[in-house]
């Protein structure tokens, strides 16, 4: 192949890639429970993110009017009749987005954000370009220190060490749930880990399968857990769920290693 032909091929490939990216859309998925006070501001801010054409709120069994407020702010709303947890809400949201995707356009990128971010939700926009431009399969938000946060870093440290030991990558904020990823990456990470282990489990599963993750600083604010009893109970639940997610993945890895050793060797190839 001549240089001229190669250049033409490259130019055609680049042009096709540009067309594909120009048609790429982003869906914001917001798992929410009893967020009626902040959900409207979060939805309005999310709608202002470039390339976003769908904001979906998954009301996970709220007892307040979260679903009504979110709908009035411009979100599509689906509701769980009872609280099923964040992982189930994420899976429901991704399934609804898939039903709204069309064959003539690429599957939407999935941008997960928390319902309590309010006006700062628009600052998740920097998570989109790394995935949009295919520099990464998942981008994870690095949040600034949150006023009033009462944790001592025990759960964060445990999750960070586990991810590093199982994948070789050491994240700064392993518990950050604000992340953008491709449809392919999301499906590769399912079923998601339950409870507060969802982020740690997702990161481990994706990196083990060869997907690329990056962390991106975002100026976000959310409601942190404090130092009171409620905050301590929250962190205890986080610690439990992270350890469970990690333990499950350690056992899964060990089982895969055993199966690999027990599998019969491949038959040698013969040449005719």
């Amino acid at each position: 192949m001549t240089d001229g032909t190669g250049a033409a091929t490259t130019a055609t490939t680049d042009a096709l890639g540009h067309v594909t990216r120009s048609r790429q859309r982003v869906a914001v998925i917001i798992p929410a429970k009893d967020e009626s006070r902040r959900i409207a501001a979060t939805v309005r801010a999310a709608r202002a993110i470039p390339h976003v054409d769908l904001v979906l709120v998954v009301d996970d069994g709220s007892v307040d009017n979260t679903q009504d407020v979110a709908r009035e702010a411009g979100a599509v709303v689906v509701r769980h009749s009872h609280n099923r947890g964040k992982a189930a809400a994420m899976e429901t949201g991704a399934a609804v987005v898939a039903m709204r995707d069309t064959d003539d356009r690429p599957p939407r990128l999935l941008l997960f954000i928390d319902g309590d971010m309010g006006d700062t939700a628009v600052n998740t926009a920097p998570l989109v370009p790394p995935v949009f431009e295919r520099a990464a399969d998942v981008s994870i938000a690095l949040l600034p220190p949150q006023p009033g946060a009462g944790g001592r870093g025990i759960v964060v440290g445990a999750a960070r060490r586990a991810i590093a030991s199982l994948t070789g990558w050491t994240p700064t904020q392993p518990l950050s749930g604000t992340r953008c990823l491709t449809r392919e990456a999301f499906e590769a990470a399912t079923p998601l880990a339950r409870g507060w282990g969802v982020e740690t489990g997702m990161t481990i599963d994706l990196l083990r399968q060869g997907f690329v993750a990056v962390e991106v600083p975002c100026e976000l604010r959310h409601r942190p857990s404090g130092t009171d009893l409620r905050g301590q109970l929250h962190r205890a639940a986080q610690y439990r769920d992270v350890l469970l997610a990690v333990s499950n993945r350690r056992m899964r890895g060990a089982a895969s290693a055993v199966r690999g050793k027990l599998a019969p060797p491949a038959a040698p190839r013969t040449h005719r």
Side-chain angles (χ1 to χ4, degrees), residues 227-260:
T227 58
D228 57 5
L229 178 60
R230 182 177 180 180
Q232 294 176 33
L233 292 174
H234 170 73
R235 285 185 287 277
Q238 273 189 314
Y239 190 67
R240 175 202 62 207
D241 290 348
V242 166
L243 291 185
L244 182 60
V246 171
S247 296
N248 287 341
R249 281 149 183 80
R250 288 191 190 279
M251 289 188 292
R252 195 182 303 166
S256 296
V258 170
R259 285 195 298 269

Side-chain angles (χ1 to χ4, degrees), residues 14 54 65 79 94 100 110 115 124-125 143 163 166 206 227 239 256:
D14 290 345
L54 172 62
N65 62 336
R79 175 175 165 78
R100 288 173 170 260
L110 306 177
T124 60
L143 279 67
I163 293 171
L166 292 173
L206 290 180
T227 58
Y239 190 67
S256 296

Side-chain angles (χ1 to χ4, degrees), residues 169-242:
W169 183 62
T170 304
T172 301
Q173 292 185 11
L175 302 181
S176 175
T178 303
R179 48 187 65 192
C180 180
L181 65 164
T182 63
R183 165 65 60 176
E184 180 186 8
F186 182 83
E187 292 180 351
T190 56
L192 301 177
R194 300 294 99 180
W196 301 107
V198 59
E199 292 86 10
T200 302
M202 175 187 284
T203 301
I204 293 171
D205 289 342
L206 290 180
L207 293 179
R208 277 179 158 181
Q209 295 178 70
F211 290 91
V212 177
V214 296
E215 294 184 308
V216 181
C218 296
E219 286 297 321
L220 303 173
R221 292 287 182 272
H222 68 95
R223 183 176 55 253
S225 57
T227 58
D228 57 5
L229 178 60
R230 182 177 180 180
Q232 294 176 33
L233 292 174
H234 170 73
R235 285 185 287 277
Q238 273 189 314
Y239 190 67
R240 175 202 62 207
D241 290 348
V242 166

Side-chain angles (χ1 to χ4, degrees), residues 11 14 21 39 54 61 99 111 129 132 149 156 159 162 191 209-210 245 252 259:
D14 290 345
R21 288 192 294 273
I39 195 66
L54 172 62
M99 289 189 291
L111 175 56
F132 190 83
V156 171
Q209 295 178 70
R252 195 182 303 166
R259 285 195 298 269

Side-chain angles (χ1 to χ4, degrees), residues 9 15 35 41 57-58 97 110 113-114 119 128 141 195 205 214 243 246 265:
T9 302
E35 290 290 355
V57 171
V58 182
V97 172
L110 306 177
I113 68 176
D114 294 331
D119 294 335
V128 175
D205 289 342
V214 296
L243 291 185
V246 171

